[in-house]
Amino acid sequence: MSEITQSVDVAVPVSVAYNQWTHFERLSQFMDGVDAVEQLDETHLRWTIRIGMTARTFTATITEQHPDQRIAWRSDGTVHHAGIITFHQLDDTHCRVTARMDIDPVTVTETVADKTGILSRRIAKDLERFKDCVETRGSTSGAGRGEVDPPDSGPSAHRGPR
């Protein structure tokens, strides 16, 4: 399994960046290789992704969510993919978004993309596109503002209004 960490500083308040990221259906607008993300319920997402000629669909569970701070997920089933996106306020109008992804390449294409640094560069470029998207948009339309605590810290989901 490979761990990839990338960050970008964004010229918007932390709540704007968080709201844009958690509008999951719009992730494909700035994430290369993500064809679609569908929110199935409060804690489950269906991803359709592609790397080269390889496409796959998998379900992921949101394992932790704290508005304006972090969101974490892990894939369900045979695809091994997990991530944490953190949001750090730098000042009233700037924040840092950090993506940490744990990816277990399955196909030859995915393994080559991982070993040659293509996946790491893709995530860095995704964050740059996110920065452009959220800075030019200036506001968001919808977001996941609920709370999800990690499985070992009490009930699995404490959700607030969306």
Side-chain angles (χ1 to χ4, degrees):
M1 182 162 298
S2 293
E3 182 180 303
I4 300 167
T5 302
Q6 297 286 346
S7 295
V8 68
D9 291 350
V10 183
V12 297
V14 70
S15 63
V16 172
Y18 176 87
N19 289 350
Q20 184 65 46
W21 193 280
T22 57
H23 193 153
F24 301 114
E25 288 83 1
R26 293 193 177 181
L27 291 175
S28 63
Q29 292 178 350
F30 59 85
M31 295 181 88
D32 187 30
V34 174
D35 291 336
V37 178
E38 177 186 2
Q39 186 154 10
L40 303 174
D41 60 32
E42 294 296 316
T43 59
H44 295 93
L45 307 169
R46 179 178 298 122
W47 291 72
T48 303
I49 63 168
R50 66 183 152 66
I51 296 176
M53 301 291 284
T54 304
R56 76 174 76 236
T57 299
F58 64 92
T59 302
T61 298
I62 297 170
T63 58
E64 186 177 3
Q65 183 172 352
H66 302 288
D68 302 340
Q69 296 174 19
R70 68 189 288 128
I71 184 159
W73 70 93
R74 64 168 165 67
S75 60
D76 304 324
T78 59
V79 173
H80 300 288
H81 181 275
I84 300 172
I85 307 298
T86 57
F87 303 84
H88 301 277
Q89 181 174 324
L90 300 175
D91 60 33
D92 289 343
T93 59
H94 295 84
C95 66
R96 176 167 295 135
V97 179
T98 300
R100 189 183 120 224
M101 312 286 272
D102 294 326
I103 301 169
D104 189 9
V106 176
T107 67
V108 171
T109 303
E110 292 171 345
T111 301
V112 170
D114 179 37
K115 298 294 184 199
T116 60
I118 291 171
L119 291 180
S120 182
R121 287 190 299 276
R122 177 183 274 187
I123 292 168
K125 289 179 181 179
D126 289 347
L127 287 174
E128 285 298 323
R129 283 189 294 274
F130 172 74
K131 172 184 172 73
D132 293 342
C133 177
V134 74
E135 287 179 352
T136 58
R137 183 168 303 208
S139 65
T140 58
S141 58
R145 301 288 306 169
E147 291 273 342
V148 176
D149 291 324
D152 60 349
S153 67
S156 63
H158 298 283
R159 303 301 289 188
R162 290 182 65 81

